[in-house]
Amino acid sequence: MIAVLFDFSGTLFRVESTESWLRAVLTEADVPLPEPEFGRAAQALQAAGALPGGAFPERVPVELADVWEVRDQSSAQHRAAYTGLSRQVPLPEPGLHDALYDRHMTPAAWTPYPDAAEVLRTLHERGVGIGVVSNIGWDLRPVFRAHGLDRYVGTYVLSYEHGIRKPDPRLFAAACAELGADPRQVLMVGDEPRADGGAATLGCAVHFVHHLPADERPDGLRPVLDLVDRPVT
């Protein structure tokens, strides 16, 4: 393999818990919420699927169905979809729904998996090209920079910047082209078989990891180093 493409959420990084997400926003806004109410609100937000990168909605309201289907194709649609889900849950102040959405885009809301830095650094040292291909509605580059991982990434191909989403093979093709790599010599690493498996259409090899909390998956990325078994000269 001469290049590896990685998904973002659930693959290289894990978003904070719904409880941490809600508590951070309430603290920043100086809005008190008694613990029993806090617990109910956090549970309701999780069931609603309001945290991007967190649990999927148990049910998408009819009025959000259309925007939900295209949520990753523009920043406006992404925000509309997730704040729409959040607003299914009553909170003390209306502005908290937008504040929650803004919080999830901050580097503080994301934790790299424990072996992410080691794997990216090792691949980079071997001369293997690295790309990030993500279905997302916002610019994740600052998250990589803040956690010191941007130095290893050669290209970012983000759905909202292209107006298409995985499994559309055009996203993977764009990443391969930017890395100057033949897709047949590229490995795609992700956590969603349907979305990330779209790379196989181009001839890429595909490897899946489990979307688990960061502290429950200490070495899920290390097998990538064995799959990419030779340095590029």
Side-chain angles (χ1 to χ4, degrees):
M1 300 296 173
I2 64 170
V4 181
L5 307 178
F6 290 93
D7 175 50
F8 167 57
S9 175
T11 300
L12 289 175
F13 283 82
R14 172 75 182 209
V15 75
E16 65 188 330
S17 69
T18 307
E19 291 81 5
S20 171
W21 177 55
L22 176 59
R23 197 177 297 281
V25 167
L26 291 172
T27 300
E28 177 67 23
D30 196 23
V31 174
L33 194 63
E35 278 303 315
E37 292 180 41
F38 173 86
R40 286 192 292 272
Q43 288 178 358
L45 287 166
Q46 180 154 327
L51 172 58
F56 280 104
E58 293 181 2
R59 180 185 67 84
V60 177
V62 172
E63 66 273 19
L64 294 175
D66 289 344
V67 74
W68 177 255
E69 286 303 311
V70 296
R71 65 192 180 279
D72 296 318
Q73 292 175 212
S74 79
S75 354
Q77 290 164 331
H78 197 267
R79 179 181 283 271
Y82 281 102
T83 57
L85 292 173
S86 174
R87 288 189 175 95
Q88 306 300 306
V89 180
L91 293 176
E93 295 182 3
L96 291 173
H97 299 287
D98 277 307
L100 284 169
Y101 185 84
D102 292 340
R103 162 73 187 184
H104 104 275
M105 296 187 289
T106 64
W110 294 90
T111 300
Y113 279 93
D115 55 347
E118 173 197 345
V119 169
L120 292 178
R121 182 181 64 252
T122 303
L123 291 173
H124 182 73
E125 289 172 350
R126 290 183 184 181
V128 176
I130 297 171
V132 173
V133 183
S134 178
N135 282 347
I136 198 165
W138 50 278
D139 186 4
L140 51 71
R141 295 171 182 86
V143 174
F144 279 78
R145 285 196 293 269
H147 289 281
L149 301 183
D150 179 67
R151 71 189 78 174
Y152 306 123
V153 180
T155 187
Y156 297 88
V157 177
L158 311 180
S159 61
Y160 85 101
E161 294 181 337
H162 291 259
I164 50 177
R165 62 194 300 251
K166 298 181 292 186
D168 192 314
R170 289 176 292 173
L171 278 183
F172 306 107
C176 292
E178 291 187 25
L179 293 173
D182 183 325
R184 293 168 296 182
Q185 294 181 289
V186 173
L187 173 68
M188 174 66 204
V189 182
D191 67 303
E192 292 187 18
R194 181 180 177 277
D196 299 313
T201 304
L202 298 177
C204 298
V206 181
H207 175 71
F208 297 112
V209 295
H210 295 295
H211 188 153
L212 294 171
D215 60 357
E216 294 178 23
R217 208 194 77 194
D219 54 6
L221 290 168
R222 287 201 179 100
V224 171
L225 298 178
D226 294 326
L227 294 170
V228 182
D229 58 3
R230 65 177 180 82
V232 175
T233 58

